[in-house]
Every structure is written in structure tokens, then in C-alpha cells.
Amino acid sequence: MPNRTVGGVSIRELIVLGTASQVPTRHRNHNGYLLRWDGEGLLFDPGEGTQRQLLLAGVSASAVTRLCLTHFHGDHCLGVPGVLQRLSLDGATHPLHAYYPASGQEYFTRLRHASLFHDTLDVREHPISADGPVADGAFGRLEVRELDHSVPSIGYRLVEADGRRIVPELLASFGIAGPAVGALQTTGAARVGDREVRLSDVSEPRRGQRVAFIMDTRLCDAAFALAQDVDMLVIEATFLHADTELASRYGHLTARQAGRIAAESNVRRLVLTHFSQRYDDAGHHHDEAAEVFGGEVITAEDLARIPLPKRA
């Protein structure tokens, strides 16, 4: 299994493996986004070349524990065979959970068995046919909503459960230290002399972190719902505002529309990606999004590592 921590610190970051849309360029590979989330590695929309991009990023394919496909256009899924075969070649022993629109079952089966190889993977398929949660666990809750594209497409939202944060000053005020702190966290209460101190007495609410992935879609209610209150929104910005009509015709967003979704959904960090090859400089995408969104805007670059924002 992948390591849960590096140097004792849990890792939560986005590794960008590709940022192009339908046609890759000299500087932009097809899609691919690995979200490292403690002991999980969620790989979103691996296009062609993803296996090599993982190598260039210095990440083992065995770090992938969940495969999340938004739809079955080639730039979002043609990297699946290589990733699965590499996992098998590397002898990955953990289950690989695969999520994808149920309407594309035939395509996933073709990708899964695209060529001959010694298949030792434990692939657990989760075809998705309705909005709502699709996975729950220690990592949190993975949710989906149907988007508005030219083919069936879904967006993802990862939600960590809310918890509590220990406040050192409150611990000290009750005289709690050493093993008693661990007992308090494990059982929710600890004895201090003749008094019982509850976890709520020495902690404060801690909001769980949230991330959303929105790829190919027109503006729609589902995009706003997925983005609501997330710490980081990774979203397509295929076109610029001057090409709004083209964006709508082909089922995509402009950078300004991506910024609008972030602004109206209380997003903290906006990551733009999936740029059309017609544009040489993604800086214009950044500027358009920033015109309507006052938070942090990042135009993704291949092999970039983008940490989640620190907890608010």
C-alpha cells in the first residue's frame, strides 16, 4: 500500500500530470490529475501518456488507489490501459477502485482489456448511474453529480468529515498532558483528579477539507453544487471569453465562467486546466478568471505540485 505519511506528515496535494484538452501540445500532455490524500491516491481522467507523466513526476503508479473518470472522451481515459498494466507489472497488491459513468461500461471494459498482459490487479468497478455518494471511508466521502457535456459526464467532490482540533492552551488549563491526551482523543474523555474532562472541553470544531474536480461541462447547477465551499476547485477552462459560443456548442467552460463558479460557490483556491491548443498563453485564462473571482487563481502546468490550502 502507498505510504500514508512522509516524514511523519500526512500528504495532501494535487500532482498535475497533464493540462491539455483534445489535442496535446509540446508543453502540455493530455489530462491527468493525481490527488494525494493521506493514504489514498485518486487519479482523475488519465489521458494518453499518463504512465510516463507519473514517472516524470517521481510518483509510483502503485500510489494510485482510486481511478475516477468523468467521461469517455479519449483525452480523459486513453491512459487507463497503461496505468492498469503498470500497476499489475509492479505487483500492486491493494484493490483499485474504479469509478465511471455506467453508460460507458462498454468503453471501460475495452480499456481494461485493451491488450494482452499478465493481469494480477484487484479492480473493483463502481459504475455510476445517479448523483450522490459513491464511496465512504476513513478518507472521507466521494460524491458525484452529472454535468452538462456532449456525452454523459460526471464531476467529483471529496469531502472530509468535520472533526475537532485540540487547543493546547485548553489542555494546559485542565492539567492534561502525556498519555492522558491520547486517551482523551481515543475515548472522548479523560479523568483529571475527581473530574471528567470531555474532548469538547479542550477542542474546537475543525471543518473537514473539500476538493472538487469539474471537467468537461457547460455552465450548470451541478457545477456550482460540486464547487460549493471547497478548499480547492480543479476545473476545466478550455476557452476564453471571446469564444463563449464555441464553448457552449462543444460543452465546455470559459475561464471567466470557471471564475464565476468559484466566486459564487465560496471556493478558496481555483485551479484552471484543460486548455485548448488554440491558445499559446494560459496567462489570459488566469486574468479572465481573476476578473470575477477574488481568491487565489492558479493556471495549472504539467508536473506542478499544488498543495491544499491550509485549514481556514
Side-chain angles (χ1 to χ4, degrees):
M1 285 291 290
N3 291 329
R4 291 189 175 275
T5 62
V6 174
V9 178
S10 63
I11 298 289
R12 290 190 179 181
E13 67 175 353
L14 175 71
I15 301 176
V16 181
L17 303 172
T19 55
S21 55
Q22 186 176 28
V23 178
T25 71
R26 290 179 181 272
H27 305 290
R28 296 188 183 279
N29 196 70
H30 270 153
N31 277 293
Y33 313 92
L34 179 66
L35 179 64
R36 300 181 70 185
W37 186 272
D38 303 338
E40 298 280 348
L42 294 90
L43 178 62
F44 292 87
D45 282 8
E48 289 180 73
T50 294
Q51 181 184 175
R52 185 168 183 270
Q53 294 295 93
L54 284 167
L55 177 67
L56 292 175
V59 180
S60 168
S62 295
V64 179
T65 59
R66 298 178 190 270
L67 173 64
C68 304
L69 303 181
T70 62
H71 64 293
F72 285 97
H73 277 152
D75 54 322
H76 296 261
C77 68
L78 284 178
V80 168
V83 171
L84 296 187
Q85 292 181 30
R86 183 55 184 268
L87 280 163
S88 199
L89 179 65
D90 289 351
T93 58
H94 59 272
L96 178 73
H97 295 270
Y99 309 90
Y100 53 86
S103 60
Q105 179 67 68
E106 174 186 2
Y107 299 108
F108 186 81
T109 300
R110 291 178 185 176
L111 292 165
R112 175 84 176 86
H113 304 288
S115 66
L116 293 172
F117 70 105
H118 181 55
D119 187 359
T120 62
L121 281 181
D122 177 10
V123 178
R124 302 183 185 181
E125 299 183 28
H126 305 273
I128 296 166
S129 57
D131 291 353
V134 295
D136 284 283
F139 63 91
R141 182 176 69 254
L142 187 64
E143 306 170 343
V144 302
R145 283 183 178 263
E146 184 178 359
L147 296 170
D148 181 14
H149 190 39
S150 56
V151 300
S153 183
I154 56 179
Y156 291 86
R157 175 181 169 94
L158 181 60
V159 180
E160 179 187 32
D162 293 338
R164 300 195 69 85
R165 184 184 74 87
I166 296 290
V167 180
E169 294 79 8
L170 292 176
L171 284 176
S173 69
F174 284 100
I176 299 176
V181 177
L184 184 64
Q185 293 176 308
T186 302
T187 66
R191 300 294 302 183
V192 180
D194 58 356
R195 180 176 182 179
E196 182 180 74
V197 178
R198 295 168 298 176
L199 180 61
S200 58
D201 295 326
V202 295
S203 64
E204 61 185 13
R206 184 202 67 183
R207 179 180 175 276
Q209 291 187 304
R210 305 172 187 187
V211 179
F213 281 80
I214 299 174
M215 288 297 117
D216 298 11
T217 185
R218 300 176 181 90
L219 274 178
C220 60
D221 290 344
F224 289 91
L226 287 164
Q228 188 63 48
D229 297 326
V230 298
D231 297 282
M232 185 161 68
L233 170 62
V234 184
I235 188 168
E236 69 125 312
T238 308
F239 292 96
L240 290 173
H241 180 68
D243 296 314
T244 298
E245 190 277 330
L246 272 179
S248 179
R249 185 193 313 170
Y250 292 109
H252 287 288
L253 296 172
T254 67
R256 185 171 297 176
Q257 289 171 335
R260 176 188 163 190
I261 291 171
E264 296 183 17
S265 303
N266 193 35
V267 169
R268 296 183 61 204
R269 176 172 292 166
L270 172 63
V271 180
L272 304 176
T273 188
H274 196 270
F275 306 114
S276 170
Q277 76 278 6
R278 70 180 57 232
Y279 308 111
D280 294 327
D281 182 8
H284 297 301
H285 291 74
H286 175 280
D287 295 343
E288 282 199 354
E291 288 175 4
V292 292
F293 175 59
E296 182 183 9
V297 180
I298 296 174
T299 49
E301 298 291 343
D302 286 24
L303 307 181
R305 290 174 178 258
I306 305 172
L308 263 70
K310 293 183 178 179
R311 295 183 184 277

